[in-house]
């Protein structure tokens, strides 16, 4: 019995909340959300991103470090719509406290707050790694970023009411700068509207939706499965004289298929940053969209 | 909404009070114009403050998803399931089969009991373990799961209840980071034990798992685990168990075993991660026996192989035989350490990944081995009047009788494996594994058992994998070569894999 009591005392000592740890810790699943958390939370929060800019958030492991991060986080900010289904459930089950669980204030899934595109009408694994909740890459439409900024600021005020005023001020500042940037981008995308593009993975739908680019082919025949040679030949026939201006891929998509098609057709293969840190010039949310549009403009002018 | 209602109520109560105060002041003497102006200013400021607070609250509420129904924006969800099946648990099926070619010679596990799960695969086509699993949240505090393992053995279908557990969810009332799991589960011990065999990187479990745990330790019991808050990952835990599964067996009190473990881990640079663990599993066995098997040893051909292996035994059974065929009763303690290191050179485990993994187990035992030997007598020698008791059976022309021999044997045994798996293309991996097992000292065997394995597998999607594996098992002069072609496919719900 003595041993049990000792174990209980030991456990109690371990579990005692670290009192000095008043700062709100935010675990973002992807770098774009970490960047947003930095904008709204500033110095008053500690932000970690589970993935870096050249990582595909579909396929990371529930690393021990993430269990440690989620254990102390007060806010979890992710794309949602099952993008993180391969690892986030492990974190939620293993280290995450109550505040991070679905329905709680610390649980923010971007796809729950914006209009989700490409909800599959048919759910079948033969169609590849599809997301029943729709396409999860919602951050590539800057209007969605603005919505999530509001959501995040609201949750921060709720979880950390003492600093509510600071979060409100930072939100107002961010929204003003974002609206201004969006006005500039709006002029630029007008010139891109209707430009035909080929994509590697269906990760760009929100960017296409916002910019009005026209996706004429996808290199992955089945989502999440590398393209087969026969499918590439089929795509080649389809796009040869289509007037497509760019083959878009994310930094973490394999190069070979896009390069092969580019070599056969002369259509430039363009690596867009996809997220903050995806390319060196995309250092924050503003430069993410700036550099993305610049690369698209360059591709359009080149061909 | 409740907050706003509360505020309105407070404001409604506050107003008369304010007026009363003003009136009281007014009665103390006629206020000057300045005083009145000041009062009005104060009131104005007060109201402005309150309005600002209200606006902030409304903004915060707008930003929040509707609290009541938890999941926001159901309007755009594809089809809401309704009726009785709306709350069906996640259902998953793992299909697995193999084609095996192997040497006629068998190494087996000399000096260890060969459990049911650790026999070498059958020759030719066979189904390994198929699995049906169900899991889901029970309510806001608990989650539950059930896994059935379906195996075909000697033409018969066997169903094994691999897991049937409940575990607490965050929000169960236990402190954050604490989880209680109860029932039957693949408990925390080493790296592989927690995961289902279909998630392994090789077709079969390495030698120490086969010898010490008969594949995996999934006893009945309960386990508490605690993730300790800190900059690096650290977790401790322990459990109490029935003691009905290898390395124990034949539990008398129903709570014969306990375990404890500690794990630490973290990132090593941007694209690699490491986890280390130490484990102990301790308890009392009351008759741990291997799989009931045919009269493989002691008679016939198998003898010759053991003879070749230097495991001589005449009519008198050697100690090795006690360890491998006897049933054990006594104290057994298993100690283990493990490591796992993953490196994704590009950051994307889907493209390229190197996984290094290793475990070392040490078992200390002190207890009694009981060896039941069949002694056969020619029927001519037996009295026809039938003085044959119940334990006797006829074996061809002979009459046989079981006789038990006891021997007190202690001994330390140990085993380890190390493996490397490298994904060189998104769908292709190669792997190599070396495993070694030292039989108990008292078994008086001169040789260790070792296995060298290589594998190549092709993964079409996350859900389907085909693997070719070559094993070379060695014990003294005995060589057991095995070639295994296997598929592992899963359909339906497919749980997220842990690190």
């Amino acid at each position: 019995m003595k041993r049990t009591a000792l174990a209980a005392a030991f456990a109690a000592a371990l579990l005692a909340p670290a009192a000095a740890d008043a700062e709100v810790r935010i675990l973002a699943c992807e770098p774009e959300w970490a960047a947003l958390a930095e904008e709204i939370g500033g110095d008053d929060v500690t932000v970690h991103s589970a993935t870096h800019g050249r990582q595909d958030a579909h396929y990371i492991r529930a690393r021990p470090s993430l269990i440690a991060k989620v254990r102390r986080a007060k806010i979890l900010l992710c794309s949602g719509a099952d993008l993180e289904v391969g690892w986030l459930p492990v974190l939620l089950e293993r280290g995450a406290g109550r505040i991070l669980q679905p329905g709680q204030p610390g649980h923010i899934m971007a796809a729950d707050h914006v209009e989700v595109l490409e909800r599959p009408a048919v759910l079948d694994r033969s169609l590849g790694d599809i997301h029943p909740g729709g396409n999860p890459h919602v951050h590539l439409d800057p209007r969605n970023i603005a919505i999530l900024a509001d959501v995040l600021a609201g949750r921060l005020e709720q979880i950390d009411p003492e600093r509510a005023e600071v979060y409100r001020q930072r939100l107002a500042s961010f929204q003003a700068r974002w609206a201004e940037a969006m006005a500039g981008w709006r002029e630029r995308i007008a010139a891109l509207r209707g430009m035909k593009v080929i994509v590697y993975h269906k990760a760009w739908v929100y960017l296409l939706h916002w910019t009005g680019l026209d996706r004429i082919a996808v290199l992955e025949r089945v989502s999440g499965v590398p393209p087969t040679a026969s499918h590439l030949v089929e795509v080649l026939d389809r796009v040869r004289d289509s007037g497509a201006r760019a083959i878009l891929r994310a930094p973490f998509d394999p190069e070979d298929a896009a390069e092969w098609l580019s070599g056969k057709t002369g259509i430039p293969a363009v690596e867009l940053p996809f997220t903050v840190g995806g390319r060196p010039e995309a250092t924050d949310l503003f430069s993410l969209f700036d550099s993305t549009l610049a690369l698209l403009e360059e591709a359009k002018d080149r061909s | 909404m409740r907050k706003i209602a509360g505020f309105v109520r407070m404001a409604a109560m506050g107003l008369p009070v304010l007026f009363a105060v003003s009136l009281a002041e007014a009665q103390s003497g006629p206020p000057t114009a300045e005083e009145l102006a000041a009062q009005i200013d104060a009131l104005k400021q007060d109201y402005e403050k309150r309005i600002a607070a209200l606006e902030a609250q409304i903004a915060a509420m707008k930003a929040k998803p509707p609290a009541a129904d938890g999941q926001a924006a159901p309007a755009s969800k594809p089809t809401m399931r309704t009726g009785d099946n709306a709350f069906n648990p996640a259902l998953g099926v793992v299909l697995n089969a193999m084609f095996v070619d192997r040497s006629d010679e068998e190494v087996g596990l000399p000096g260890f009991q060969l459990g049911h799960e650790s026999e070498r695969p059958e020759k030719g086509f066979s189904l390994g373990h198929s699995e049906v699993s169900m899991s889901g949240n029970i309510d806001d505090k608990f989650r539950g799961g059930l896994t059935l393992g379906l195996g075909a053995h000697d033409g018969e279908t066997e169903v094994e209840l691999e897991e049937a557990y409940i575990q607490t969810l965050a929000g169960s009332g236990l402190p954050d980071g604490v989880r209680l799991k109860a029932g039957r589960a693949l408990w925390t011990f080493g790296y592989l034990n927690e995961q289902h065999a279909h998630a392994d990187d090789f077709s079969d479990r390495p030698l120490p798992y086969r010898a010490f745990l008969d594949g995996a330790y999934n006893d009945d019991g309960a386990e508490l685990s605690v993730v300790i808050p800190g900059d690096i990952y650290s977790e401790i835990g322990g459990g109490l168990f029935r003691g009905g599964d290898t390395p124990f067996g034949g539990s008398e009190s129903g709570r014969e075993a306990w375990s404890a473990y500690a794990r630490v881990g973290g990132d090593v640079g941007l694209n690699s991660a490491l986890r280390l663990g130490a484990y102990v599993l301790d308890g009392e066995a009351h008759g741990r026996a291997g799989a009931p098997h045919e009269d493989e040893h002691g008679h016939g051909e198998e003898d010759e192989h053991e003879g070749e292996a230097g495991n001589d035994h005449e009519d008198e059974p050697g100690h090795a035989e006690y360890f491998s065929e006897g049933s054990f009763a006594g104290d057994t303690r298993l100690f283990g350490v493990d490591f796992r290191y993953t490196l994704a050179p590009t950051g994307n485990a889907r493209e390229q990944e190197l996984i290094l993994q290793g475990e070392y187990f040490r078992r200390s035992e002190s207890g009694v081995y009981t060896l039941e030997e069949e002694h056969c007598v020619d029927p001519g020698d037996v009295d026809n009047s039938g003085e044959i008791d119940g334990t006797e059976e006829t074996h061809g022309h002979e009459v046989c009788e079981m006789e038990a021999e006891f021997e007190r044997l202690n001994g330390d045994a140990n085993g380890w494996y190390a493996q490397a798996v490298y994904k060189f293309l998104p769908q292709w991996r190669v792997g190599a594994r070396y495993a070694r097992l030292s039989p108990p000292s008292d078994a008086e065997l001169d040789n260790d058992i070792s296995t060298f394995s290589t594998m190549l597998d092709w993964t079409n999607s996350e859900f389907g994998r085909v693997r070719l594996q070559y094993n070379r098992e060695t014990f003294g002069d005995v060589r057991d070569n095995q070639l295994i072609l296997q598929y592992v496919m899963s359909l339906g719900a497919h749980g997220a894999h842990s690190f």
Side-chain angles (χ1 to χ4, degrees), chain A residues 6 30 34 65 72 99 107 118 122 124 131 147 158 173 177 187 193 208 211 251 269 294 302:
Chain A
L6 204 70
E30 292 86 22
S65 66
R72 292 207 285 179
I99 196 167
H107 186 90
E118 289 189 339
V122 182
D124 191 314
H131 299 283
I147 294 172
Q158 197 182 349
S173 152
R177 286 179 290 131
E187 284 169 26
R193 195 161 294 279
L208 306 181
T211 55
R302 199 164 0 141

Side-chain angles (χ1 to χ4, degrees), chain A residues 39 41 62 85 183 192 213 243 245 260 284 298:
Chain A
E39 295 278 359
V85 72
L192 293 170
L213 296 183
R245 297 299 185 84
W260 178 85
D284 60 13
E298 193 191 317

Side-chain angles (χ1 to χ4, degrees), chain B residues 97-294:
Chain B
M98 51 179 76
F99 179 83
V100 175
D101 196 16
R102 63 181 193 197
S103 322
D104 293 329
E105 289 186 317
E106 179 176 2
V107 165
L109 292 171
F112 295 94
Q113 285 156 330
L114 186 67
H116 202 62
E117 304 295 324
S118 45
E119 289 170 31
R120 66 177 184 167
E122 288 178 83
K123 214 167 181 173
F125 289 101
S126 69
L127 282 175
H129 251 72
S130 306
E131 268 177 28
V132 180
S133 65
M134 279 166 267
S135 65
N137 290 341
I138 292 162
D139 55 21
D140 60 327
K141 292 185 168 48
F142 301 101
R143 179 178 176 76
L146 182 85
T147 306
L148 295 176
L150 301 165
H153 208 82
D154 294 333
E156 279 181 40
T157 306
E158 293 172 354
V159 182
E160 195 209 343
L161 186 57
E162 286 186 3
E163 288 189 297
Y165 65 88
I166 59 141
Q167 69 185 42
T168 56
L169 294 170
S172 61
L174 290 174
D176 283 353
V178 179
R179 183 177 75 179
L180 183 67
K181 196 169 182 177
R184 176 178 295 185
L186 293 160
W187 303 109
T188 311
F189 188 86
Y191 180 80
L192 290 175
N193 196 67
E194 267 175 293
Q195 76 184 22
H196 287 122
H198 74 257
D200 288 4
D201 293 324
F202 289 83
S203 303
D204 53 354
R205 289 254 146 132
L207 285 173
Y209 272 87
R210 293 168 56 202
F212 297 124
L213 298 172
D214 189 19
Y217 181 61
N218 59 334
D219 208 342
D220 301 348
E223 184 184 82
L224 189 78
S225 62
V226 182
V227 177
I228 300 162
D231 283 330
I232 64 158
Y233 160 75
S234 48
E235 181 178 333
I236 54 168
L240 290 171
F241 309 105
R242 178 176 177 79
D245 189 36
T246 318
F248 315 109
S251 178
E252 280 178 4
S253 68
R255 46 184 168 83
E256 305 278 7
W258 61 270
S259 76
Y261 73 91
R263 277 176 175 164
V264 291
D267 289 343
V268 185
L270 260 187
N271 295 321
S272 59
L274 176 69
R275 197 186 78 186
L276 305 168
Y279 314 82
V280 61
L281 180 60
D282 187 306
E284 204 172 334
H286 297 275
R288 174 190 71 214
H293 47 113
E294 298 300 305

Side-chain angles (χ1 to χ4, degrees), chain A residues 26-40 47-60 63 66 76-80 83-84 87 110 136-140 145 148 152 174 178 250-252 272-279 282-289, chain B residues 270-271 347-348:
Chain A
I26 300 177
L27 180 65
C29 290
E30 292 86 22
E32 64 269 16
W33 304 123
L36 182 65
E38 300 272 11
E39 295 278 359
I40 309 298
V47 182
H48 286 286
S49 178
T51 52
H52 61 71
R54 300 186 74 84
Q55 259 177 340
D56 186 345
H58 281 100
Y59 305 103
I60 65 161
R63 307 190 302 272
L66 295 183
L76 186 66
L77 180 56
C78 300
S79 291
L83 173 62
E84 302 91 359
W87 48 278
H137 309 286
V138 301
H139 70 283
L140 283 174
I145 299 283
L148 266 297
L152 176 62
F174 173 76
W178 197 247
F252 46 77
L272 295 180
F274 189 72
T275 181
V276 174
R279 286 174 66 99
T283 54
D284 60 13
L285 287 167
F286 294 90
S287 53
L288 167 64
F289 286 95
Chain B
L270 260 187
N271 295 321
N348 289 296

Side-chain angles (χ1 to χ4, degrees), chain A residues 1-15:
Chain A
M1 222 59 261
K2 202 183 228 173
R3 219 195 302 177
T4 324
L6 204 70
F10 181 58
L14 282 169
L15 295 171

Side-chain angles (χ1 to χ4, degrees), chain B residues 4-25:
Chain B
I4 292 187
F7 180 77
V8 169
R9 215 166 35 234
M10 259 166 52
M13 288 191 305
L15 276 176
V17 175
L18 252 160
F19 276 113
V21 170
S22 314
L23 278 172
E25 279 175 3

Side-chain angles (χ1 to χ4, degrees), chain A residues 141-151 171 174-175 178 182:
Chain A
D141 184 337
R143 293 168 293 191
N144 290 344
I145 299 283
I147 294 172
L148 266 297
D150 284 344
V151 174
L171 173 66
F174 173 76
Q175 292 291 25
W178 197 247
M182 288 222 310

Side-chain angles (χ1 to χ4, degrees), chain B residues 300-337:
Chain B
E301 263 190 296
E302 301 285 335
D303 249 1
E304 289 166 30
H305 302 309
E306 290 190 13
E308 283 165 26
N311 175 20
D312 291 73
H313 59 88
E314 319 282 301
D315 288 343
E316 283 298 306
H319 284 163
E321 205 163 354
Y322 278 101
F323 280 99
S324 53
E325 287 169 35
S327 103
F328 173 75
D331 294 331
T332 180
R333 172 177 290 188
L334 206 52
F335 168 74
V337 286

